[in-house]
Amino acid sequence: MKEKQAYYYNRNAKDLKPLRSGDIVRIAPTQGPKEWKQGTVQKEVSKRSYTVETSSGRVLRRNRRHLRKSAEVKQEPEMPQDEVAGNEVPQGYPPTSNIDITKHNVIAAPISRSPQRNPSPRAPVTVSRFGRKVFEPVKLDL
């Protein structure tokens, strides 16, 4: 019986191509949001198992079926704002202009969440918070 099951299973089963150290891969989500995270293969642990370093720096061990080789380049992790002091540029990031951002105070205008009305008396137009024009429906006047 076992041989019969193996025969029918192996009829359509395909071996996945092996990954090499340094390959960029996407890691299948295990819990939470269904987002495939980017990672870099560090080494092959066994025939189907690999250690992978994620873009956030975590090192995971994953089965080959949960890894997909990707043609994209490695993403650099984003630096939180509290770690960047003043106008210093973090290591590995391109330099910005020579403007001292601590001297400039920029005040953004408050965003109005209420719909804006057009002063036209014939067909009032409302602008949604996303910038689309919303027209009132034309009603038949009998």
Side-chain angles (χ1 to χ4, degrees), residues 12 19 53 64 104:
N12 295 321
L19 297 171
E53 181 179 3
R64 174 62 179 95
H104 302 287

Side-chain angles (χ1 to χ4, degrees), residues 21-42:
S21 179
D23 281 349
I24 306 297
V25 293
R26 284 285 176 170
I27 306 164
T30 55
Q31 297 174 353
K34 302 292 182 194
E35 179 182 336
W36 287 64
K37 296 189 174 147
Q38 188 182 50
T40 307
V41 175
Q42 287 186 334

Side-chain angles (χ1 to χ4, degrees), residues 49-120:
S49 184
Y50 293 86
T51 56
V52 180
E53 181 179 3
T54 64
S55 57
S56 63
R58 292 183 67 187
V59 177
L60 307 170
R61 182 174 174 166
R62 291 289 181 263
N63 189 297
R64 174 62 179 95
R65 85 171 94 159
H66 299 115
L67 301 173
R68 299 283 185 266
K69 189 169 180 179
S70 177
E72 54 195 356
V73 295
K74 185 174 181 180
Q75 291 178 349
E76 293 295 325
E78 302 231 356
M79 295 290 291
Q81 284 291 36
D82 57 345
E83 292 183 18
V84 181
N87 60 352
E88 298 175 10
V89 178
Q91 184 178 3
Y93 285 83
T96 58
S97 62
N98 294 331
I99 298 174
D100 186 7
I101 59 173
T102 57
K103 292 181 184 178
H104 302 287
N105 292 330
V106 178
I107 300 173
I111 298 173
S112 174
R113 295 287 180 193
S114 63
Q116 299 172 355
R117 296 255 178 208
N118 191 357
S120 172

Side-chain angles (χ1 to χ4, degrees), residues 111-116 126-134:
I111 298 173
S112 174
R113 295 287 180 193
S114 63
Q116 299 172 355
T126 306
V127 178
S128 72
R129 62 182 177 167
F130 301 107
R132 289 188 171 187
K133 294 180 183 177
V134 180

